[in-house]
Amino acid sequence: MTVPVNNLLGAAQSGSILRNLRHDFPASLVVFLVALPLSLGIAIASGAPLMAGLIAAAVGGIVAGSIGGSPLQVSGPAAGLTVVVDGLIDEFGWPMMCLITIAAGALQILFGLSRMARAALAIAPVVVHAMLAGIGITIVLQQIHVLLGGASRSSAWQNIEALPKGIVNHHLHDVIIGALVIAILLLWSKLPPKVRYIPGALVAIVAATAFAIAVGLPAERITLAGSFFDAIGLPNLPRMSPGGQPWGHEIGAMVIGVFTIAVIASVESLLSAVGVDKLHTGPRTNFNKEMIGQGSANMLSGLLGGLPVTGVIVRSSTNVAAGARTRMSAVLHGVWILLFASLFTSLVELIPKAALAGLLIVIGVQLVTLAHIQVAWRTGNFAVYAITIVCVVFLNLLEGVAIGLGVAIAILLTRVIRAPIEATPVGGEESKQWRVDIDGTLSFLLLPRLTKVLSTLPQGSEVTLNLNADYIDHSISETIADWRRAHEATGGSVVIVETTPAKLHHAHTSPPRRHFMPAAIALVPRRSAHGNRRDDTNASVLDGIDEYHRNGIAVLHPHIAELTDSHNPYALFLTCADSRILPNVITASGPGDLFTVGNLGNVVPTDPADRSVDAALDFAVNQLGVSSVVVCGHSSCGAMTTLLQDTDQATTPMGHWLEYAHDSLVAYQDHHPARRSAESSGFTEVDQLGIVNVAVQVERLTHHPILATAVASGELQVVGTFFDISTARVYEVNQNGIVHRHGVSKN
């Protein structure tokens, strides 16, 4: 009897869907409970009909969740657009805001189809962080008046000016309700994780509403203009704008509004997708497809009378933390929003406005992130951060972001053209030997500082000029040549050392272009002229740091700067502490790719009391989400030499540690298949033991309590490797021996 292949594939897919649904279904309920109060609060903060928030949440979940490019991202109305939407509604009215949302969605689809979605990520992160902080401050300034029982004003200045009067004339019952919500939200993060599985926002709103009803507080409640289905419908556009002018008079401002909504929604969605990718090990985001999904959701949301939609990191991170496996969780969350809005909207009218104001104040405060402020301060971008916030709050969001980007670009240009120039006497201030270090981009803009430094060098001195440049133009080359001739004419000497491909003579023979120092400079050992290690180890290390600042920092910084706040390694790399092993080099990986653990002999302790490796395994697998664990041994290993030769090892700390490798020695003596394979390839006895040791440690890790479940499910793989120092080649090691990668033999 034969079974059609299509039937087998269909059964397999159905089984996979059911297995994932066990995780996606409960995760969708958690996200729904988080999204419900947030969607209502964002609608209020935006000055839009309340139902518009629920429509956007349902459409964002179902449409963007179904066709977007980020499988675990959850979309819906976002706090980041409240200020813009509120301003556009005030200027054009709600029906025209829906049309702007439709047009912004179409523009987002164009972003995706033209494959330019990644361009939205070119906005400096410090500007994005400051933009969100400015929005948070604006929300707080607006909603604090609602919490006091009043109404928010149209600008930040007016909200600040009216605050003293609002405090004096506050409504105590509204303050109590709002303060109760804030207190619950602040205390919720302190509770045990099992309790926090219930969304704090939902608990706070329900508790405050129940309290207001039980006590009988005369707080102003939310009012809905009709049912959910009454709110759904195509925009009914008036012929005249709210200002009494024909719509053609406002077309320019509308175009700006469309562009603003599209860009901010795109940037927020893509940044959220990048953040979500760091939280899980599944498929990565297709940014162009995500733009098409977000644009489609915005077009439908606008058509149905909903708010603009973006990817939202709060709901998305909740989705991942709740155990979601596929996009079905986001889609189901939209379905639950739709069902609630259809059947239980009467419950919404029980919620006091002050309760949602308290929720929005907490959201606004959370948008001002201390970690972002610290990063801006450490990286010298605090001025950009502060200026952007002030402009967003007191001007408007688009102007604030534009000014912030302008300041960021100006500071960047200043840093590029201000290459470091340092003149240092060699051997004391009275020495006739001087060293001048010039790094970075050397253009005519550097001439004032360059000539000033060169003019301070004593006449007749012996000068070594170190050039570490990625760009040299003709003016710099000519200035240095003129100074050299003048200095040598006074009895001095000049030696020019050029450590990068950008040379002075290039500036005279061809148009200037940027050159980059080969990263391989980091592979050159720091040794004396005779090839021996330097006696003064501390001085050697400090000299190496100096050399790194001259030659290496320009190469490393662009790759590591984006890892300031977090890292997302794909593998834990357990290797020997031997100084000849360079994990990133032999795996062709970069900063943030490997979580490296080193110990003597690359062994995994078998004593439950020794947590030296267990702690790293737990953190890398359960916190960082690595997809593989790699054991790397190497040739001429001192630990394997000691293990093979010393039969009485437990008398020294090293001997005690190597007891964890005793199983490897026994396997080696029992002619483990890995030994036979290594022997046939011509490896020495010490290296054969090293290869067997890798195989034994791989087997040990495969059944390790921390890894066993993930290994059995296929979510994690354990890999063995062996680095042959004599040939600089890396071999894979499995239970049967060594595998010559890419057909390379030992000889």
Side-chain angles (χ1 to χ4, degrees):
M1 176 180 176
T2 59
V3 180
V5 174
N6 288 341
N7 290 350
L8 292 174
L9 291 175
Q13 291 174 350
S14 299
S16 176
I17 292 173
L18 291 176
R19 283 195 303 271
N20 289 325
L21 195 60
R22 291 173 42 240
H23 302 278
D24 292 335
F25 183 82
S28 70
L29 292 174
V30 174
V31 179
F32 157 69
L33 295 176
V34 171
L36 181 62
L38 294 181
S39 300
L40 293 171
I42 289 167
I44 287 182
S46 303
L50 278 178
M51 287 302 180
L54 298 179
I55 293 172
V59 172
I62 296 172
V63 177
S66 298
I67 64 178
S70 181
L72 297 185
Q73 174 152 273
V74 180
S75 300
L81 282 171
T82 54
V83 176
V84 179
V85 173
D86 186 43
L88 291 174
I89 293 175
D90 285 343
E91 186 173 0
F92 301 116
W94 174 244
M96 189 57 68
M97 179 64 232
C98 293
L99 183 62
I100 290 174
T101 301
I102 295 171
L107 186 56
Q108 285 183 289
I109 293 176
L110 184 61
F111 289 162
L113 293 176
S114 61
R115 301 186 177 277
M116 58 180 294
R118 285 185 181 271
L121 297 175
I123 297 179
V126 66
V127 175
V128 176
H129 297 159
M131 176 193 77
L132 294 175
I135 291 170
I137 293 172
T138 304
I139 291 173
V140 172
L141 291 175
Q142 290 175 342
Q143 296 303 312
I144 195 168
H145 288 282
V146 179
L147 184 143
L148 294 172
S152 62
R153 275 53 173 186
S154 59
S155 71
W157 278 121
Q158 292 176 353
N159 281 317
I160 293 174
E161 290 174 349
L163 189 56
K165 184 177 179 180
I167 294 174
V168 172
N169 300 320
H170 70 275
H171 297 171
L172 183 59
H173 46 268
D174 288 317
V175 174
I176 292 174
I177 293 171
L180 178 61
V181 171
I182 294 173
I184 292 174
L185 290 173
L186 293 179
L187 293 173
W188 203 252
S189 61
K190 310 295 182 183
L191 298 177
K194 290 184 179 179
V195 177
R196 284 189 281 112
Y197 192 76
I198 304 173
L202 180 70
V203 173
I205 296 299
V206 171
T209 302
F211 175 77
I213 294 173
V215 178
L217 295 178
E220 185 179 0
R221 300 301 205 274
I222 291 173
T223 55
L224 299 176
S227 68
F228 176 76
F229 294 103
D230 292 335
I232 294 178
L234 298 177
N236 182 18
L237 303 180
R239 295 182 179 180
M240 305 292 287
S241 71
Q245 298 290 337
W247 282 117
H249 180 73
E250 307 286 352
I251 193 68
M254 290 181 189
V255 170
I256 293 176
V258 170
F259 182 78
T260 303
I261 293 289
V263 170
I264 294 176
S266 299
V267 171
E268 187 166 351
S269 297
L270 295 180
L271 290 176
S272 174
V274 171
V276 173
D277 282 349
K278 295 180 179 180
L279 300 177
H280 68 90
T281 58
R284 306 291 91 178
T285 297
N286 181 323
F287 292 108
N288 294 310
K289 186 178 179 182
E290 180 65 14
M291 276 300 89
I292 295 174
Q294 294 292 333
S296 301
N298 270 317
M299 290 192 70
L300 183 58
S301 181
L303 281 169
L304 298 179
L307 284 169
V309 170
T310 78
V312 190
I313 189 61
V314 174
R315 279 164 249 183
S316 301
S317 59
T318 301
N319 191 38
V320 175
R325 295 288 181 86
T326 70
R327 63 179 68 248
M328 184 58 68
S329 175
V331 174
L332 286 175
H333 126 273
V335 173
W336 309 144
I337 292 281
L338 181 61
L339 291 176
F340 176 87
S342 304
L343 304 176
F344 302 105
T345 49
S346 59
L347 296 177
V348 174
E349 295 185 315
L350 299 176
I351 301 174
K353 285 186 176 180
L356 287 178
L359 172 63
L360 287 167
I361 287 173
V362 173
I363 293 173
V365 171
Q366 290 174 342
L367 289 176
V368 186
T369 307
L370 179 60
H372 292 161
I373 297 174
Q374 291 173 334
V375 170
W377 183 266
R378 288 198 308 266
T379 56
N381 291 319
F382 186 75
V384 179
Y385 187 86
I387 291 172
T388 304
I389 286 180
V390 171
C391 293
V392 167
V393 172
F394 294 107
L395 296 177
N396 61 57
L397 192 139
L398 186 61
E399 291 180 6
V401 171
I403 292 172
L405 280 175
V407 174
I409 293 171
I411 291 177
L412 173 63
L413 290 175
T414 301
R415 289 171 178 168
V416 169
I417 65 177
R418 287 184 61 86
I421 304 175
E422 184 179 3
T424 309
V426 180
E429 294 293 337
E430 302 301 325
S431 173
K432 285 195 173 185
Q433 294 184 341
W434 285 73
R435 187 181 75 189
V436 179
D437 295 312
I438 308 177
D439 300 331
T441 301
L442 311 185
S443 71
F444 66 92
L445 296 170
L446 195 67
L447 286 178
R449 293 179 54 239
L450 175 62
T451 54
K452 180 180 178 181
V453 171
L454 294 180
S455 67
T456 62
L457 298 173
Q459 293 185 358
S461 58
E462 300 173 5
V463 180
T464 299
L465 187 65
N466 294 314
L467 287 178
N468 176 41
D470 55 23
Y471 173 97
I472 301 176
D473 71 8
H474 177 262
S475 61
I476 293 291
S477 177
E478 189 174 82
T479 299
I480 291 177
D482 291 343
W483 166 81
R484 180 178 188 176
R485 284 193 296 269
H487 188 75
E488 290 177 342
T490 63
S493 65
V494 178
V495 175
I496 298 178
V497 179
E498 298 173 285
T499 58
T500 52
K503 308 296 184 183
L504 289 171
H505 71 270
H506 288 161
H508 298 273
T509 59
S510 62
R513 62 187 181 89
R514 293 184 66 85
H515 298 266
F516 296 94
M517 182 194 70
I521 191 168
L523 304 182
V524 180
R526 297 192 55 77
R527 300 183 181 277
S528 67
H530 300 290
N532 300 318
R533 285 186 301 181
R534 296 179 178 177
D535 295 330
D536 189 351
T537 305
N538 290 330
S540 176
V541 169
L542 294 177
D543 287 345
I545 293 173
D546 289 340
E547 183 175 338
Y548 158 73
H549 282 119
R550 288 194 303 272
N551 301 329
I553 193 170
V555 174
L556 179 60
H557 183 262
H559 302 287
I560 204 168
E562 61 187 24
L563 304 174
T564 301
D565 296 325
S566 62
H567 61 137
N568 186 30
Y570 64 83
L572 181 146
F573 197 85
L574 174 62
T575 187
C576 185
D578 193 287
S579 62
R580 296 167 291 181
I581 300 179
L582 305 173
N584 288 102
V585 175
I586 65 177
T587 59
S589 53
D593 289 339
L594 300 180
F595 187 80
T596 305
V597 179
N599 63 40
L600 191 66
N602 47 271
V603 298
V604 180
T606 53
D607 184 354
D610 190 329
R611 299 293 187 180
S612 57
V613 173
D614 286 4
L617 291 173
D618 181 35
F619 183 71
V621 174
N622 296 325
Q623 299 294 326
L624 299 178
V626 299
S627 58
S628 60
V629 175
V630 181
V631 180
C632 182
H634 67 98
S635 62
S636 306
C637 180
M640 296 300 104
T641 301
T642 302
L643 186 65
L644 193 62
Q645 296 177 350
D646 191 354
T647 56
D648 185 18
Q649 300 169 18
T651 58
T652 64
M654 178 178 176
H656 282 294
W657 174 259
L658 288 178
E659 287 182 355
Y660 294 135
H662 181 70
D663 290 350
S664 300
L665 180 61
V666 172
Y668 169 81
Q669 293 170 341
D670 290 343
H671 293 277
H672 189 283
R675 176 185 178 180
R676 295 195 296 270
S677 173
E679 186 177 14
S680 65
S681 296
F683 285 98
T684 65
E685 290 186 352
V686 170
D687 293 352
Q688 293 171 30
L689 175 58
I691 291 171
V692 171
N693 179 57
V694 170
V696 170
Q697 304 309 317
V698 168
E699 180 68 18
R700 189 175 291 176
L701 286 171
T702 301
H703 299 94
H704 195 285
I706 295 177
L707 310 183
T709 302
V711 172
S713 66
E715 296 178 1
L716 182 76
Q717 61 174 339
V718 181
V719 180
T721 59
F722 186 82
F723 177 46
D724 183 12
I725 295 173
S726 64
T727 62
R729 299 200 180 279
V730 182
Y731 301 90
E732 182 183 349
V733 177
N734 57 34
Q735 289 300 304
N736 296 319
I738 63 172
V739 177
H740 300 282
R741 302 300 299 170
H742 306 294
V744 178
S745 67
K746 178 172 170 56
N747 297 323

